[in-house]
Amino acid sequence: MATVGFIGLGNMGGPMASNLAKAGHKVKAFDLSEEALKAVVADGAQAAKTAEEAIDGAEFVVSMLPADRHVKGVYLGDNGLINKLSKDQLVIDCSTISSDTAMFVGEELEKAGIAFIDAPVSGGVGGAKAGTLTFICGGTESNVDRARTVLNDMGKNVFRAGDVGAGQIAKICNNMLLSVLMVGTSEALQLGKANGLDPKVLSEIMLASSGRNWTLEVYNPCPGVMENVPSSNDYQGGFLVDLMAKDLGLAQQTALESGAATPMGSLTRNLYHSWSEQGHGRQDFSSIFNYVAPKSQK
Ligand code: NAD
């Protein structure tokens, strides 16, 4: 069992840190939110007052932060961990951020002799709680192998996409596809509803037909069709619209830089951005179901 410093205990990081503690690792956890910290302490983690305290003596440092600026700030900012980390520690950043930022942070840490991998995840809050996440890693083979000691207790798949930064590219490809599936599934369910179909029955039909996809399988966006999903909990507690909008922005930036054509990704980026602007940024991303509701229901 390992000693792990865990930074960022939100919707994803909280259950991930709890799973590490439950598996028997010694977890020292830190979050700016005391409430977030309490939840993981209840599951056996030790509370740290600062990020520095959390990483002290840890073999692995895992971070699960919202976006680029948080990751840059934590590692390279004024009181950045770069000056506190030691050469025998492995930093595993699981946040979804730009590939450029991951490479920049990785290079700066490497210059200081500290090993780094990016390891963004797929599987949502359900996967984080169940310990069934997919980790999409970028880094050297030996660092990714070393990380398995902790990743295997938070997920069921560990992929190496390539060198540092490659995990982030694979992750935004996946999330761009997910957004297209979510918007398309929402439109199909709204179309059926508007024409008198029961969304539960329509979901069953599509699940057994060629429209089958992950959103219908485990994350139906229509309230009442599935239990224990954000749509049946007033769109609370899942993957924020703002975070999806961020990922789609990263995908568009990457597409521009590489000359890739992503017309559907561009469309879903605009839809999620506009939904956020309308005040839904803190709802789960499946709430886009309401964006495509007939005018009479809005
Ligand atoms: P969240 O907003 O629920 O949690 C982020 C946590 O980070 C918060 O508790 C916040 O207090 C903490 N934090 C921010 N700055 C900090 C700092 N300087 N020091 C310590 N703690 C700090 O976000 P989330 O849903 O857990 O997502 C985290 C990352 O995972 C994001 O990059 C997101 O894109 C990615 N992700 C989320 C999901 C999902 O379904 N929610 C799925 C896959 C990937």
Side-chain angles (χ1 to χ4, degrees), residues 7-13 30-33 36 64-67 70 74 94-97 121-122 124-125 171 219 238-240 243 246-247 282:
I7 302 161
L9 310 164
N11 287 327
M12 295 294 289
F30 173 68
D31 194 291
L32 298 174
S33 150
M64 191 50 161
L65 297 160
H70 307 90
V74 163
C94 297
S95 326
T96 303
I97 58 172
V121 306
S122 177
V125 176
K171 165 70 190 176
Y219 217 98
F239 180 41
L240 301 184
L243 289 179
K246 173 204 66 170
D247 290 2
R282 303 291 302 167

Side-chain angles (χ1 to χ4, degrees), residues 52-240:
E52 186 182 346
E53 190 185 314
I55 66 155
D56 188 33
E59 294 161 76
F60 297 94
V61 174
V62 182
S63 47
M64 191 50 161
L65 297 160
D68 290 49
R69 65 190 168 89
H70 307 90
V71 176
K72 265 192 198 160
V74 163
Y75 291 107
L76 310 178
D78 286 344
N79 284 316
L81 295 179
I82 189 162
N83 299 317
K84 324 277 181 331
L85 287 157
S86 65
K87 292 192 171 133
D88 52 356
Q89 295 180 309
L90 173 65
V91 174
I92 306 169
D93 180 46
C94 297
S95 326
T96 303
I97 58 172
S98 76
S99 173
D100 284 350
T101 297
M103 286 192 285
F104 181 67
V105 173
E107 277 161 21
E108 292 301 307
L109 291 179
E110 197 186 325
K111 278 187 221 161
I114 299 147
F116 173 88
I117 66 168
D118 52 311
V121 306
S122 177
V125 176
K129 287 183 180 161
T132 56
L133 291 171
T134 293
F135 288 90
I136 309 165
C137 305
T140 64
E141 275 180 31
S142 65
N143 284 339
V144 172
D145 277 346
R146 200 175 144 200
R148 287 177 197 273
T149 305
V150 287
L151 300 185
N152 285 342
D153 285 322
M154 299 186 282
K156 63 172 185 193
N157 295 304
V158 178
F159 289 106
R160 178 178 174 268
D163 293 331
V164 170
Q168 299 294 350
I169 300 279
K171 165 70 190 176
I172 55 165
C173 291
N174 178 72
N175 272 23
M176 187 179 77
L177 174 58
L178 170 62
S179 72
V180 171
L181 294 171
M182 183 55 88
V183 173
T185 301
S186 296
E187 282 183 6
L189 289 169
Q190 290 287 15
L191 176 65
K193 259 182 84 197
N195 286 278
L197 297 191
D198 176 345
K200 226 177 209 169
V201 174
L202 177 56
S203 294
E204 276 167 26
I205 292 169
M206 294 194 294
L207 265 171
S209 308
S210 44
R212 182 186 185 106
N213 70 78
W214 184 87
T215 71
L216 285 170
E217 282 166 358
V218 299
Y219 217 98
N220 198 297
C222 177
V225 172
M226 260 178 186
E227 284 175 13
N228 300 321
V229 289
S231 60
S232 295
N233 184 30
D234 213 12
Y235 296 106
Q236 297 305 304
F239 180 41
L240 301 184

